PDB file of all heavy atoms in Angstrom:
ATOM      1  N   PRO A 469       0.798  -1.247   0.004  1.00  0.00           N
ATOM      2  CA  PRO A 469       0.024   0.004   0.002  1.00  0.00           C
ATOM      3  C   PRO A 469       0.823   1.266   0.023  1.00  0.00           C
ATOM      4  O   PRO A 469       0.499   2.205  -0.703  1.00  0.00           O
ATOM      5  CB  PRO A 469      -0.842  -0.115   1.277  1.00  0.00           C
ATOM      6  CG  PRO A 469      -0.868  -1.508   1.615  1.00  0.00           C
ATOM      7  CD  PRO A 469       0.320  -2.132   1.092  1.00  0.00           C
ATOM      8  N   LYS A 470       1.965   1.236   0.738  1.00  0.00           N
ATOM      9  CA  LYS A 470       2.785   2.440   0.765  1.00  0.00           C
ATOM     10  C   LYS A 470       3.313   2.777  -0.544  1.00  0.00           C
ATOM     11  O   LYS A 470       3.350   3.935  -1.021  1.00  0.00           O
ATOM     12  CB  LYS A 470       3.906   2.343   1.753  1.00  0.00           C
ATOM     13  CG  LYS A 470       4.916   3.545   1.831  1.00  0.00           C
ATOM     14  CD  LYS A 470       6.138   3.229   2.632  1.00  0.00           C
ATOM     15  CE  LYS A 470       7.081   4.410   2.417  1.00  0.00           C
ATOM     16  NZ  LYS A 470       8.386   4.158   2.787  1.00  0.00           N
ATOM     17  N   ALA A 471       3.822   1.734  -1.269  1.00  0.00           N
ATOM     18  CA  ALA A 471       4.354   2.035  -2.613  1.00  0.00           C
ATOM     19  C   ALA A 471       3.327   2.527  -3.597  1.00  0.00           C
ATOM     20  O   ALA A 471       3.625   3.412  -4.415  1.00  0.00           O
ATOM     21  CB  ALA A 471       5.021   0.651  -3.215  1.00  0.00           C
ATOM     22  N   VAL A 472       2.097   1.991  -3.457  1.00  0.00           N
ATOM     23  CA  VAL A 472       1.027   2.414  -4.327  1.00  0.00           C
ATOM     24  C   VAL A 472       0.681   3.957  -4.048  1.00  0.00           C
ATOM     25  O   VAL A 472       0.447   4.704  -4.929  1.00  0.00           O
ATOM     26  CB  VAL A 472      -0.276   1.500  -4.178  1.00  0.00           C
ATOM     27  CG1 VAL A 472      -1.462   2.121  -4.936  1.00  0.00           C
ATOM     28  CG2 VAL A 472       0.030   0.123  -4.726  1.00  0.00           C
ATOM     29  N   ARG A 473       0.727   4.302  -2.741  1.00  0.00           N
ATOM     30  CA  ARG A 473       0.376   5.705  -2.359  1.00  0.00           C
ATOM     31  C   ARG A 473       1.524   6.581  -2.943  1.00  0.00           C
ATOM     32  O   ARG A 473       1.205   7.654  -3.445  1.00  0.00           O
ATOM     33  CB  ARG A 473       0.433   5.892  -0.870  1.00  0.00           C
ATOM     34  CG  ARG A 473      -0.904   5.412  -0.271  1.00  0.00           C
ATOM     35  CD  ARG A 473      -1.055   5.813   1.209  1.00  0.00           C
ATOM     36  NE  ARG A 473       0.115   5.417   2.055  1.00  0.00           N
ATOM     37  CZ  ARG A 473       0.177   4.240   2.698  1.00  0.00           C
ATOM     38  NH1 ARG A 473      -0.790   3.401   2.554  1.00  0.00           N
ATOM     39  NH2 ARG A 473       1.170   4.011   3.488  1.00  0.00           N
ATOM     40  N   VAL A 474       2.831   6.167  -2.840  1.00  0.00           N
ATOM     41  CA  VAL A 474       3.867   7.023  -3.350  1.00  0.00           C
ATOM     42  C   VAL A 474       3.754   7.158  -4.944  1.00  0.00           C
ATOM     43  O   VAL A 474       3.912   8.192  -5.516  1.00  0.00           O
ATOM     44  CB  VAL A 474       5.247   6.404  -2.900  1.00  0.00           C
ATOM     45  CG1 VAL A 474       6.321   7.118  -3.715  1.00  0.00           C
ATOM     46  CG2 VAL A 474       5.466   6.559  -1.451  1.00  0.00           C
ATOM     47  N   LEU A 475       3.464   6.028  -5.556  1.00  0.00           N
ATOM     48  CA  LEU A 475       3.306   6.015  -6.986  1.00  0.00           C
ATOM     49  C   LEU A 475       2.102   6.983  -7.400  1.00  0.00           C
ATOM     50  O   LEU A 475       2.235   7.733  -8.313  1.00  0.00           O
ATOM     51  CB  LEU A 475       3.037   4.599  -7.497  1.00  0.00           C
ATOM     52  CG  LEU A 475       4.313   3.738  -7.659  1.00  0.00           C
ATOM     53  CD1 LEU A 475       3.855   2.326  -7.736  1.00  0.00           C
ATOM     54  CD2 LEU A 475       5.319   4.158  -8.607  1.00  0.00           C
ATOM     55  N   ALA A 476       1.021   6.854  -6.684  1.00  0.00           N
ATOM     56  CA  ALA A 476      -0.093   7.724  -7.002  1.00  0.00           C
ATOM     57  C   ALA A 476       0.165   9.227  -6.790  1.00  0.00           C
ATOM     58  O   ALA A 476      -0.116  10.069  -7.647  1.00  0.00           O
ATOM     59  CB  ALA A 476      -1.383   7.361  -6.141  1.00  0.00           C
ATOM     60  N   ALA A 477       0.986   9.572  -5.764  1.00  0.00           N
ATOM     61  CA  ALA A 477       1.342  10.933  -5.502  1.00  0.00           C
ATOM     62  C   ALA A 477       2.229  11.444  -6.606  1.00  0.00           C
ATOM     63  O   ALA A 477       2.101  12.511  -7.053  1.00  0.00           O
ATOM     64  CB  ALA A 477       1.880  11.005  -4.157  1.00  0.00           C
ATOM     65  N   THR A 478       3.139  10.580  -7.058  1.00  0.00           N
ATOM     66  CA  THR A 478       4.186  10.944  -8.071  1.00  0.00           C
ATOM     67  C   THR A 478       3.535  11.113  -9.398  1.00  0.00           C
ATOM     68  O   THR A 478       3.756  12.021 -10.193  1.00  0.00           O
ATOM     69  CB  THR A 478       5.277   9.940  -8.078  1.00  0.00           C
ATOM     70  OG1 THR A 478       5.900   9.777  -6.839  1.00  0.00           O
ATOM     71  CG2 THR A 478       6.360  10.374  -9.115  1.00  0.00           C
ATOM     72  N   LEU A 479       2.526  10.213  -9.634  1.00  0.00           N
ATOM     73  CA  LEU A 479       1.805  10.284 -10.917  1.00  0.00           C
ATOM     74  C   LEU A 479       0.938  11.604 -10.980  1.00  0.00           C
ATOM     75  O   LEU A 479       0.860  12.284 -11.967  1.00  0.00           O
ATOM     76  CB  LEU A 479       0.867   9.067 -11.099  1.00  0.00           C
ATOM     77  CG  LEU A 479       1.581   7.725 -11.514  1.00  0.00           C
ATOM     78  CD1 LEU A 479       0.666   6.520 -11.266  1.00  0.00           C
ATOM     79  CD2 LEU A 479       2.067   7.763 -12.992  1.00  0.00           C
ATOM     80  N   ALA A 480       0.335  11.853  -9.815  1.00  0.00           N
ATOM     81  CA  ALA A 480      -0.460  13.106  -9.756  1.00  0.00           C
ATOM     82  C   ALA A 480       0.406  14.360 -10.029  1.00  0.00           C
ATOM     83  O   ALA A 480      -0.082  15.284 -10.752  1.00  0.00           O
ATOM     84  CB  ALA A 480      -1.116  13.261  -8.362  1.00  0.00           C
ATOM     85  N   GLU A 481       1.662  14.390  -9.610  1.00  0.00           N
ATOM     86  CA  GLU A 481       2.521  15.474  -9.862  1.00  0.00           C
ATOM     87  C   GLU A 481       2.822  15.637 -11.384  1.00  0.00           C
ATOM     88  O   GLU A 481       3.101  16.790 -11.802  1.00  0.00           O
ATOM     89  CB  GLU A 481       3.894  15.312  -9.186  1.00  0.00           C
ATOM     90  CG  GLU A 481       3.708  15.415  -7.626  1.00  0.00           C
ATOM     91  CD  GLU A 481       5.069  15.037  -6.950  1.00  0.00           C
ATOM     92  OE1 GLU A 481       6.131  14.745  -7.668  1.00  0.00           O
ATOM     93  OE2 GLU A 481       5.087  14.945  -5.725  1.00  0.00           O
ATOM     94  N   LYS A 482       2.632  14.606 -12.145  1.00  0.00           N
ATOM     95  CA  LYS A 482       2.913  14.576 -13.592  1.00  0.00           C
ATOM     96  C   LYS A 482       1.541  14.681 -14.301  1.00  0.00           C
ATOM     97  O   LYS A 482       1.511  14.642 -15.525  1.00  0.00           O
ATOM     98  CB  LYS A 482       3.569  13.286 -14.014  1.00  0.00           C
ATOM     99  CG  LYS A 482       4.918  13.125 -13.696  1.00  0.00           C
ATOM    100  CD  LYS A 482       5.588  11.888 -14.258  1.00  0.00           C
ATOM    101  CE  LYS A 482       5.682  12.071 -15.712  1.00  0.00           C
ATOM    102  NZ  LYS A 482       6.337  10.971 -16.426  1.00  0.00           N
ATOM    103  N   GLY A 483       0.482  14.866 -13.518  1.00  0.00           N
ATOM    104  CA  GLY A 483      -0.920  14.980 -14.178  1.00  0.00           C
ATOM    105  C   GLY A 483      -1.436  13.655 -14.651  1.00  0.00           C
ATOM    106  O   GLY A 483      -2.249  13.622 -15.500  1.00  0.00           O
ATOM    107  N   LEU A 484      -0.897  12.602 -14.100  1.00  0.00           N
ATOM    108  CA  LEU A 484      -1.408  11.208 -14.351  1.00  0.00           C
ATOM    109  C   LEU A 484      -2.012  10.622 -13.180  1.00  0.00           C
ATOM    110  O   LEU A 484      -1.912  11.170 -12.023  1.00  0.00           O
ATOM    111  CB  LEU A 484      -0.152  10.381 -14.877  1.00  0.00           C
ATOM    112  CG  LEU A 484       0.592  10.824 -16.017  1.00  0.00           C
ATOM    113  CD1 LEU A 484       1.826   9.956 -16.271  1.00  0.00           C
ATOM    114  CD2 LEU A 484      -0.360  10.621 -17.272  1.00  0.00           C
ATOM    115  N   ASP A 485      -2.609   9.435 -13.356  1.00  0.00           N
ATOM    116  CA  ASP A 485      -3.188   8.729 -12.242  1.00  0.00           C
ATOM    117  C   ASP A 485      -3.056   7.186 -12.495  1.00  0.00           C
ATOM    118  O   ASP A 485      -2.974   6.791 -13.682  1.00  0.00           O
ATOM    119  CB  ASP A 485      -4.666   9.156 -12.099  1.00  0.00           C
ATOM    120  CG  ASP A 485      -5.321   8.762 -10.799  1.00  0.00           C
ATOM    121  OD1 ASP A 485      -4.658   8.225  -9.924  1.00  0.00           O
ATOM    122  OD2 ASP A 485      -6.478   8.958 -10.693  1.00  0.00           O
ATOM    123  N   ILE A 486      -3.227   6.378 -11.442  1.00  0.00           N
ATOM    124  CA  ILE A 486      -3.273   5.042 -11.626  1.00  0.00           C
ATOM    125  C   ILE A 486      -4.614   4.670 -12.304  1.00  0.00           C
ATOM    126  O   ILE A 486      -5.668   5.342 -12.082  1.00  0.00           O
ATOM    127  CB  ILE A 486      -3.187   4.342 -10.179  1.00  0.00           C
ATOM    128  CG1 ILE A 486      -1.867   4.572  -9.641  1.00  0.00           C
ATOM    129  CG2 ILE A 486      -3.530   2.899 -10.249  1.00  0.00           C
ATOM    130  CD1 ILE A 486      -1.621   4.070  -8.112  1.00  0.00           C
ATOM    131  N   ALA A 487      -4.583   3.660 -13.223  1.00  0.00           N
ATOM    132  CA  ALA A 487      -5.775   3.305 -13.943  1.00  0.00           C
ATOM    133  C   ALA A 487      -6.945   2.975 -13.067  1.00  0.00           C
ATOM    134  O   ALA A 487      -6.722   2.412 -11.944  1.00  0.00           O
ATOM    135  CB  ALA A 487      -5.475   2.125 -14.858  1.00  0.00           C
ATOM    136  N   PRO A 488      -8.179   3.389 -13.403  1.00  0.00           N
ATOM    137  CA  PRO A 488      -9.274   3.078 -12.587  1.00  0.00           C
ATOM    138  C   PRO A 488      -9.574   1.647 -12.540  1.00  0.00           C
ATOM    139  O   PRO A 488      -9.289   0.897 -13.542  1.00  0.00           O
ATOM    140  CB  PRO A 488     -10.393   3.860 -13.250  1.00  0.00           C
ATOM    141  CG  PRO A 488      -9.938   4.159 -14.649  1.00  0.00           C
ATOM    142  CD  PRO A 488      -8.465   4.114 -14.627  1.00  0.00           C
ATOM    143  N   ALA A 489     -10.129   1.108 -11.446  1.00  0.00           N
ATOM    144  CA  ALA A 489     -10.591  -0.275 -11.367  1.00  0.00           C
ATOM    145  C   ALA A 489     -11.651  -0.594 -12.374  1.00  0.00           C
ATOM    146  O   ALA A 489     -12.371   0.269 -12.858  1.00  0.00           O
ATOM    147  CB  ALA A 489     -11.050  -0.534  -9.962  1.00  0.00           C
ATOM    148  N   GLU A 490     -11.690  -1.800 -12.791  1.00  0.00           N
ATOM    149  CA  GLU A 490     -12.730  -2.297 -13.778  1.00  0.00           C
ATOM    150  C   GLU A 490     -14.114  -2.050 -13.078  1.00  0.00           C
ATOM    151  O   GLU A 490     -14.257  -2.372 -11.870  1.00  0.00           O
ATOM    152  CB  GLU A 490     -12.578  -3.735 -14.067  1.00  0.00           C
ATOM    153  CG  GLU A 490     -11.240  -4.102 -14.735  1.00  0.00           C
ATOM    154  CD  GLU A 490     -11.289  -3.788 -16.252  1.00  0.00           C
ATOM    155  OE1 GLU A 490     -12.320  -3.913 -16.811  1.00  0.00           O
ATOM    156  OE2 GLU A 490     -10.317  -3.346 -16.801  1.00  0.00           O
ATOM    157  N   PRO A 491     -15.038  -1.403 -13.744  1.00  0.00           N
ATOM    158  CA  PRO A 491     -16.315  -1.226 -13.125  1.00  0.00           C
ATOM    159  C   PRO A 491     -17.066  -2.507 -12.982  1.00  0.00           C
ATOM    160  O   PRO A 491     -16.890  -3.440 -13.688  1.00  0.00           O
ATOM    161  CB  PRO A 491     -17.107  -0.342 -14.147  1.00  0.00           C
ATOM    162  CG  PRO A 491     -16.343  -0.515 -15.461  1.00  0.00           C
ATOM    163  CD  PRO A 491     -14.903  -0.874 -15.138  1.00  0.00           C
ATOM    164  N   ARG A 492     -17.721  -2.693 -11.844  1.00  0.00           N
ATOM    165  CA  ARG A 492     -18.490  -3.948 -11.554  1.00  0.00           C
ATOM    166  C   ARG A 492     -19.642  -3.922 -12.411  1.00  0.00           C
ATOM    167  O   ARG A 492     -20.252  -2.972 -12.789  1.00  0.00           O
ATOM    168  CB  ARG A 492     -18.840  -3.969 -10.087  1.00  0.00           C
ATOM    169  CG  ARG A 492     -17.665  -4.143  -9.176  1.00  0.00           C
ATOM    170  CD  ARG A 492     -18.056  -4.097  -7.703  1.00  0.00           C
ATOM    171  NE  ARG A 492     -19.119  -5.133  -7.471  1.00  0.00           N
ATOM    172  CZ  ARG A 492     -19.775  -5.187  -6.266  1.00  0.00           C
ATOM    173  NH1 ARG A 492     -19.450  -4.408  -5.357  1.00  0.00           N
ATOM    174  NH2 ARG A 492     -20.767  -6.107  -6.212  1.00  0.00           N
ATOM    175  N   ASP A 493     -20.045  -5.117 -12.879  1.00  0.00           N
ATOM    176  CA  ASP A 493     -21.248  -5.327 -13.735  1.00  0.00           C
ATOM    177  C   ASP A 493     -22.492  -5.157 -12.842  1.00  0.00           C
ATOM    178  O   ASP A 493     -22.756  -5.865 -11.860  1.00  0.00           O
ATOM    179  CB  ASP A 493     -21.193  -6.736 -14.298  1.00  0.00           C
ATOM    180  CG  ASP A 493     -22.250  -6.907 -15.339  1.00  0.00           C
ATOM    181  OD1 ASP A 493     -23.267  -6.254 -15.302  1.00  0.00           O
ATOM    182  OD2 ASP A 493     -22.054  -7.799 -16.241  1.00  0.00           O
ATOM    183  N   ALA A 494     -23.277  -4.079 -13.066  1.00  0.00           N
ATOM    184  CA  ALA A 494     -24.503  -3.696 -12.275  1.00  0.00           C
ATOM    185  C   ALA A 494     -25.466  -4.834 -12.264  1.00  0.00           C
ATOM    186  O   ALA A 494     -26.345  -4.922 -11.405  1.00  0.00           O
ATOM    187  CB  ALA A 494     -25.120  -2.414 -12.890  1.00  0.00           C
ATOM    188  N   ARG A 495     -25.522  -5.729 -13.297  1.00  0.00           N
ATOM    189  CA  ARG A 495     -26.478  -6.859 -13.234  1.00  0.00           C
ATOM    190  C   ARG A 495     -26.255  -7.662 -12.203  1.00  0.00           C
ATOM    191  O   ARG A 495     -27.145  -8.346 -11.669  1.00  0.00           O
ATOM    192  CB  ARG A 495     -26.373  -7.558 -14.610  1.00  0.00           C
ATOM    193  CG  ARG A 495     -26.838  -6.802 -15.817  1.00  0.00           C
ATOM    194  CD  ARG A 495     -26.599  -7.615 -17.086  1.00  0.00           C
ATOM    195  NE  ARG A 495     -25.106  -7.971 -17.137  1.00  0.00           N
ATOM    196  CZ  ARG A 495     -24.623  -8.777 -17.931  1.00  0.00           C
ATOM    197  NH1 ARG A 495     -25.364  -9.439 -18.808  1.00  0.00           N
ATOM    198  NH2 ARG A 495     -23.342  -8.975 -18.010  1.00  0.00           N
TER     199      ARG A 495
END
């Protein structure tokens, strides 16, 4: 989790983000 937080913050500084999770099938 710490590495993911650091990566997310660093990506945000570059105007990027970690890919969104696959949406769940509403059905």
